[in-house]
Amino acid sequence: MAKRGNKIIFTLLAIGLLFFCNQKFLQAEEPAIVINEIAWMGTAVEGIDKEDWWRYEWLELYNNTDAPITLDGWKIELFRPDIDYTIDLLGDIQAKSYFIIVASDKIFSEYDKNYSNLTGKFNNSGQKVVLKDSQSTVVDSIDASSGWPGGDRESKQTMERKSDGAWQTSASVGGTPGRKNSPGSVAAKDPEPIANSSESSSDSQADNETAASNDTESEILVLAKSSLSDIKITEIFPRPKLVTKPDEVSEEFIELYNSGSQDVDLTGWKLGDGTERRYELNKIIIKAEEYLPLWQKDMKIVLDNGGDSVKLFQPQKTTASQTVKYKNAGEGVSYSLEPKENKVWQWSEVPTPGKINETKLPNNPPVIVFDIQDKITAGETAIYDASDSYDIDGDDLKFQWDFGDGVILNLDSPEHTYFYSGSYTIKLTLNDGKTKVVKEKTIKVLKSGEEKNSDTPGKSSTNIKNSETAKTVKKTNTLVKSTGSNAYASAKGVVLVLPGILASQYFYAANEDGGFQVYSYKKDFPKLAVGDLISISGTLSEVNGEKRMKTKSQADIKVIGHEEIPAGERLTCGEVNEDYAGKLILLEGEVTQKKGQTIYLDDGTAEVAIYLKQNTGLTSGVINEGEKIKITGIVSKTSSGVQILPRSMDDIIKSDGNAQVLGEKVAGDEWSLAERNKKIELIKYFLILVGGVIIIGGGLLIRKVRNKTQGA
């Protein structure tokens, strides 16, 4: 019996020894993607009150594999006692790289997903966090329901994953986002606000250098990671002009800037354009805080004047770390990053290769918008309205009207009376202080009592009296299409925008035929609300490709009901053209540049100009380049093409920043992950079984020892 007991004990000990010897093998079966770092306590952010830092939470994933993996359809589940939350993921996580989810874009200047609903979703007391793939298979999880195993609420040191899968408190205040995790903390530090710029990386880097001073390998890795993010494209010069002065730039260039405190070897880095062409840098050192121009003669990359993209690739990377798009390069102007905050790209008349950027915006000429009567009676006073004229750059405008009869006035909407009949050429000059624009129109002044052949607005109007004209009146719910310009008509439509918002003399309405202007030369409109169903009587015409109903007085516009406000027709930027003039549309894309009150939206099919009218309350300052937005607005035709006119703040919605999927999907990822997860589950059951056997064996061994002791 004793021998049999010894055999059982020996077998149990052998199983236990086998269990411990295989720990290294078991630990190697870690998930392909892991939850790597959690700022459950929030983050110190510059410009935010300390008591609100808890709102700025973030989470980091890490790809353990040597290939990129698509996260489309993946999700992170946050379990709370009251309610559970799900974060849907989109995009790719590159090989041996990080994927950062933030609650706000104020935390970092670079991240992979902005999930505003993440704010406040981490409990300070702990909770369970689960990562699932597109098949809803659990890939990784941490059950911290009884309390977080790392992180410091007061100092804002994050919770980091260790190489053995356990968790620790980061040695760095604010953690190590996008970089190798720290060796771990032994003492908490006072938090400092993190600026939303590359400076935050430098601060974290300094913390990591101190913490890793006894770990040479860790220190080198941290420094290498930090220096990669310090290199940025800051200026592009696509179209040099003919040089007339010695100090003028005569060659295309792309400028890089090192914002870090260390020199960086750019060997292995690459530059590219919108094609597959790549220029690899070799044996080039960019010093700390140096601006480095790379000239076209060396790169052999020719930038397209009509528009192109410039891409920067880190060593051994196939996905660009930075992409800068531009369109319609002017002669002698550079596309440069505004030097103060390094966020806004602008065209500048002053190229600055090798120096800090100097922003001198090229001037855009003012745009004249006015409507003048073709015919007027001598002795009749009329208003000449150009108040809807505008300047894209927001410059103050000076008006000069030359009425051709010796009278010159400097108002935007003057009144004038012609006393003698004849033809007169009216000339309006608009000056923004840099450029003058002139528009002329010839009118006919009739003798008193002479009939006007067409109904024109003015201080007095000729009523339709004869039966021939009366026959042209159409009683339909849609705009008249067949009778041509100056036909008298009636129509119904829903008010899209109120008078005085997009223009002073007209507003937009829409029916089943599309959008149209409702115009009053005297600005005589009844009280209206967006969504009102109105009937309009007036003269049908077309101005700049847009249908227009000219009314004489507010009596021609009657409110007959109220309907649901029409939604904009969803289009791609490439589909927007003159055929949609006057119509309400919906676009979604990325803001590529800002110029005065004009922003440019690109969804990958084309770029469209969005003009923010002053009376809408919108300014370009509320929108940043690189942001993804949805925008509703009315298509308006100009001399330079079409533009979109949003009506109010409600027409612009900021959306998440992961609309574009980068890299290629790795074939078989879902299958391999599922198989790996099954293996992990089997390992868990095996560990439980081995643990139970060890406990039983230990109990038998103790019992045997006790029996021997008692027998002695």
Side-chain angles (χ1 to χ4, degrees), residues 94-113:
Q94 300 302 312
K96 302 295 183 183
S97 294
Y98 305 86
F99 191 96
I100 302 174
I101 302 112
V102 298
S104 169
D105 58 8
K106 294 181 180 179
I107 302 176
F108 309 122
S109 59
E110 296 183 5
Y111 52 87
D112 295 283
K113 181 174 179 63

Short mmCIF file of all heavy atoms in Angstrom, two decimals, residues 94-113:
data_model
loop_
_atom_site.label_atom_id
_atom_site.label_comp_id
_atom_site.label_asym_id
_atom_site.label_seq_id
_atom_site.Cartn_x
_atom_site.Cartn_y
_atom_site.Cartn_z
N GLN A 94 -1.17 48.12 -37.30
CA GLN A 94 0.00 47.63 -38.03
C GLN A 94 0.80 46.63 -37.19
O GLN A 94 0.64 46.52 -35.98
CB GLN A 94 0.88 48.81 -38.44
CG GLN A 94 0.19 49.82 -39.33
CD GLN A 94 -0.34 49.20 -40.61
OE1 GLN A 94 0.37 48.47 -41.29
NE2 GLN A 94 -1.60 49.48 -40.93
N ALA A 95 1.69 45.89 -37.86
CA ALA A 95 2.52 44.88 -37.19
C ALA A 95 3.36 45.53 -36.10
O ALA A 95 3.97 46.58 -36.31
CB ALA A 95 3.40 44.18 -38.21
N LYS A 96 3.39 44.88 -34.93
CA LYS A 96 4.20 45.35 -33.80
C LYS A 96 3.93 46.84 -33.51
O LYS A 96 4.85 47.59 -33.20
CB LYS A 96 5.69 45.14 -34.08
CG LYS A 96 6.09 43.69 -34.35
CD LYS A 96 5.89 42.80 -33.15
CE LYS A 96 6.37 41.38 -33.42
NZ LYS A 96 6.11 40.47 -32.27
N SER A 97 2.67 47.23 -33.63
CA SER A 97 2.33 48.64 -33.45
C SER A 97 1.15 48.79 -32.50
O SER A 97 0.55 47.81 -32.05
CB SER A 97 1.99 49.29 -34.80
OG SER A 97 3.13 49.33 -35.63
N TYR A 98 0.83 50.06 -32.23
CA TYR A 98 -0.17 50.40 -31.23
C TYR A 98 -1.41 51.01 -31.87
O TYR A 98 -1.34 51.58 -32.96
CB TYR A 98 0.41 51.39 -30.21
CG TYR A 98 1.69 50.89 -29.55
CD1 TYR A 98 2.93 51.10 -30.15
CD2 TYR A 98 1.66 50.20 -28.34
CE1 TYR A 98 4.10 50.65 -29.57
CE2 TYR A 98 2.83 49.74 -27.75
CZ TYR A 98 4.04 49.97 -28.37
OH TYR A 98 5.20 49.52 -27.78
N PHE A 99 -2.54 50.90 -31.18
CA PHE A 99 -3.81 51.47 -31.63
C PHE A 99 -4.42 52.16 -30.42
O PHE A 99 -4.72 51.52 -29.41
CB PHE A 99 -4.72 50.37 -32.15
CG PHE A 99 -5.95 50.86 -32.87
CD1 PHE A 99 -5.97 50.97 -34.25
CD2 PHE A 99 -7.11 51.21 -32.17
CE1 PHE A 99 -7.10 51.40 -34.93
CE2 PHE A 99 -8.24 51.65 -32.83
CZ PHE A 99 -8.24 51.74 -34.22
N ILE A 100 -4.59 53.49 -30.50
CA ILE A 100 -5.01 54.27 -29.34
C ILE A 100 -6.44 54.77 -29.53
O ILE A 100 -6.77 55.37 -30.56
CB ILE A 100 -4.06 55.47 -29.12
CG1 ILE A 100 -2.62 54.96 -28.92
CG2 ILE A 100 -4.50 56.29 -27.92
CD1 ILE A 100 -1.59 56.07 -28.83
N ILE A 101 -7.28 54.53 -28.53
CA ILE A 101 -8.66 55.02 -28.51
C ILE A 101 -8.76 56.10 -27.43
O ILE A 101 -8.40 55.84 -26.27
CB ILE A 101 -9.66 53.89 -28.22
CG1 ILE A 101 -9.53 52.78 -29.27
CG2 ILE A 101 -11.08 54.41 -28.18
CD1 ILE A 101 -8.99 51.49 -28.77
N VAL A 102 -9.21 57.30 -27.79
CA VAL A 102 -9.25 58.41 -26.85
C VAL A 102 -10.68 58.90 -26.68
O VAL A 102 -11.53 58.74 -27.55
CB VAL A 102 -8.36 59.58 -27.32
CG1 VAL A 102 -6.91 59.16 -27.40
CG2 VAL A 102 -8.83 60.12 -28.66
N ALA A 103 -10.93 59.53 -25.54
CA ALA A 103 -12.24 60.12 -25.27
C ALA A 103 -12.35 61.51 -25.85
O ALA A 103 -13.45 62.06 -25.95
CB ALA A 103 -12.50 60.16 -23.76
N SER A 104 -11.23 62.11 -26.24
CA SER A 104 -11.23 63.47 -26.79
C SER A 104 -9.96 63.71 -27.57
O SER A 104 -8.89 63.21 -27.21
CB SER A 104 -11.34 64.51 -25.66
OG SER A 104 -11.11 65.82 -26.14
N ASP A 105 -10.06 64.51 -28.65
CA ASP A 105 -8.86 64.84 -29.43
C ASP A 105 -7.98 65.87 -28.73
O ASP A 105 -6.93 66.25 -29.24
CB ASP A 105 -9.23 65.33 -30.83
CG ASP A 105 -10.13 66.55 -30.80
OD1 ASP A 105 -10.35 67.12 -29.72
OD2 ASP A 105 -10.62 66.94 -31.88
N LYS A 106 -8.40 66.32 -27.54
CA LYS A 106 -7.56 67.24 -26.77
C LYS A 106 -6.45 66.50 -26.03
O LYS A 106 -5.52 67.13 -25.54
CB LYS A 106 -8.42 68.01 -25.77
CG LYS A 106 -9.42 68.96 -26.41
CD LYS A 106 -10.22 69.70 -25.35
CE LYS A 106 -11.22 70.65 -26.01
NZ LYS A 106 -12.03 71.37 -25.00
N ILE A 107 -6.55 65.18 -25.93
CA ILE A 107 -5.57 64.41 -25.15
C ILE A 107 -4.25 64.31 -25.92
O ILE A 107 -3.19 64.66 -25.40
CB ILE A 107 -6.11 63.00 -24.85
CG1 ILE A 107 -7.44 63.10 -24.08
CG2 ILE A 107 -5.10 62.21 -24.02
CD1 ILE A 107 -8.09 61.76 -23.82
N PHE A 108 -4.31 63.82 -27.16
CA PHE A 108 -3.12 63.67 -27.99
C PHE A 108 -3.40 64.26 -29.36
O PHE A 108 -4.54 64.30 -29.82
CB PHE A 108 -2.72 62.20 -28.16
CG PHE A 108 -2.62 61.43 -26.87
CD1 PHE A 108 -3.38 60.30 -26.66
CD2 PHE A 108 -1.75 61.84 -25.88
CE1 PHE A 108 -3.29 59.59 -25.48
CE2 PHE A 108 -1.66 61.14 -24.69
CZ PHE A 108 -2.43 60.02 -24.49
N SER A 109 -2.34 64.69 -30.05
CA SER A 109 -2.50 65.17 -31.42
C SER A 109 -2.59 64.00 -32.39
O SER A 109 -3.10 64.14 -33.50
CB SER A 109 -1.33 66.08 -31.81
OG SER A 109 -0.10 65.38 -31.69
N GLU A 110 -2.11 62.81 -31.99
CA GLU A 110 -2.16 61.63 -32.85
C GLU A 110 -2.84 60.49 -32.10
O GLU A 110 -2.45 60.16 -30.98
CB GLU A 110 -0.76 61.22 -33.30
CG GLU A 110 -0.07 62.26 -34.16
CD GLU A 110 1.29 61.79 -34.64
OE1 GLU A 110 1.62 60.62 -34.37
OE2 GLU A 110 2.00 62.58 -35.27
N TYR A 111 -3.85 59.91 -32.72
CA TYR A 111 -4.57 58.79 -32.13
C TYR A 111 -5.22 58.03 -33.27
O TYR A 111 -5.17 58.44 -34.43
CB TYR A 111 -5.63 59.28 -31.13
CG TYR A 111 -6.57 60.31 -31.71
CD1 TYR A 111 -7.71 59.94 -32.40
CD2 TYR A 111 -6.29 61.67 -31.58
CE1 TYR A 111 -8.55 60.88 -32.96
CE2 TYR A 111 -7.13 62.62 -32.13
CZ TYR A 111 -8.26 62.22 -32.81
OH TYR A 111 -9.10 63.15 -33.37
N ASP A 112 -5.83 56.87 -32.96
CA ASP A 112 -6.43 56.05 -34.01
C ASP A 112 -7.95 56.11 -34.03
O ASP A 112 -8.56 55.94 -35.07
CB ASP A 112 -5.98 54.59 -33.85
CG ASP A 112 -4.48 54.45 -34.05
OD1 ASP A 112 -4.07 54.47 -35.21
OD2 ASP A 112 -3.75 54.34 -33.06
N LYS A 113 -8.58 56.34 -32.88
CA LYS A 113 -10.03 56.46 -32.82
C LYS A 113 -10.42 57.43 -31.73
O LYS A 113 -9.96 57.32 -30.59
CB LYS A 113 -10.70 55.10 -32.58
CG LYS A 113 -12.24 55.18 -32.55
CD LYS A 113 -12.87 53.82 -32.45
CE LYS A 113 -14.40 53.93 -32.39
NZ LYS A 113 -14.98 54.51 -33.59
#
